[in-house]
Amino acid sequence: HNLNLKSGYDGVTCEIVHPIVPCKRPSPAAQAANFGNVVLVALRNPLTAFPSYQQEKAEKYHNAKEQVTKEEWISFRDQYVGNSTHSPLFQEWKEFILEWRNMDKYHVAMYLAHEEWADETKGVALVTKFARVLREEGFPVQYHTDDLACLWHKNILQSAIQKKKKHEDEGRYVPEYTE
């Protein structure tokens, strides 16, 4: 998404929710002239990413209103996640990280781990570092560093707690893996 912010700064966000699939596209390095050289790479642990991709796909393309069944998850897991000798999705996930890490035209200033956003121990540190990187790159951060913990708690942690409770109330299961 291209953002033309009221502050006069331009920003770009990329969102990938589902699915990790090979595609023909220009590499990010081919687009370097359009962007700054510092990037923030959003990551998600494959243990939570793969079930999330499957769920998002079911909601977007099949109008699913509830969590996919355990049987659907197991079928998806066995076909796409694979095992220790063959895992197409894990390979794509790994190639994404390596692609960004190895590009000469960009510098990864920070990895933003999805699971850390709502972690009571790591969340404030993540938001504080994120704000520091943005400031260093000349983006305005409207809040003082001392306020970030409160903002994180009210806006990120509380939202995560509500989402988790909603999923529990709906009786959602936690997708399982095999060895």
Side-chain angles (χ1 to χ4, degrees):
H1 310 286
N2 281 318
L3 306 172
N4 291 315
L5 305 173
K6 291 180 183 177
S7 63
Y9 291 89
D10 286 334
V12 176
T13 64
C14 299
E15 178 181 330
I16 299 175
V17 177
H18 100 52
I20 298 177
V21 294
C23 60
K24 301 286 185 213
R25 61 166 169 77
S27 74
Q31 304 294 318
N34 298 318
F35 305 105
N37 69 334
V38 172
V39 294
L40 303 166
V41 177
L43 293 177
R44 188 164 188 179
N45 184 321
L47 291 175
T48 60
F50 300 155
S52 177
Y53 297 146
Q54 182 200 23
Q55 182 65 38
E56 288 293 323
K57 184 177 178 186
E59 290 173 13
K60 288 181 181 180
Y61 294 102
H62 305 289
N63 297 318
K65 302 292 183 217
E66 298 177 352
Q67 185 180 26
V68 298
T69 65
K70 281 188 179 184
E71 292 76 18
E72 290 171 308
W73 160 246
I74 290 168
S75 175
F76 174 88
R77 178 198 68 198
D78 292 350
Q79 182 176 0
Y80 296 106
V81 177
N83 56 46
S84 62
T85 59
H86 177 71
S87 179
L89 273 181
F90 185 77
Q91 189 61 35
E92 287 294 321
W93 180 86
K94 184 173 126 183
E95 287 173 10
F96 167 82
I97 296 168
L98 293 174
E99 179 178 25
W100 282 102
R101 186 181 356 169
N102 295 328
M103 275 191 270
D104 293 334
K105 299 189 186 245
Y106 296 107
H107 163 68
V108 176
M110 183 177 181
Y111 292 97
L112 299 165
H114 176 271
E115 293 75 18
E116 291 181 12
W117 281 110
D119 182 286
E120 290 201 57
T121 305
K122 299 175 182 176
V124 174
L126 181 72
V127 170
T128 301
K129 184 176 179 184
F130 181 48
R132 181 182 49 79
V133 170
L134 291 175
R135 280 188 186 107
E136 288 172 357
E137 292 305 309
F139 287 91
V141 176
Q142 304 297 323
Y143 297 94
H144 190 273
T145 302
D146 294 341
D147 298 329
L148 294 175
C150 181
L151 288 166
W152 170 83
H153 193 273
K154 286 183 177 178
N155 296 288
I156 296 174
L157 180 62
Q158 290 303 316
S159 175
I161 289 170
Q162 290 170 357
K163 185 175 183 179
K164 182 179 180 183
K165 182 175 178 350
K166 179 180 180 280
H167 287 175
E168 288 171 355
D169 291 347
E170 292 171 351
R172 289 197 175 198
Y173 64 87
V174 176
E176 299 171 347
Y177 286 86
T178 58
E179 291 187 39

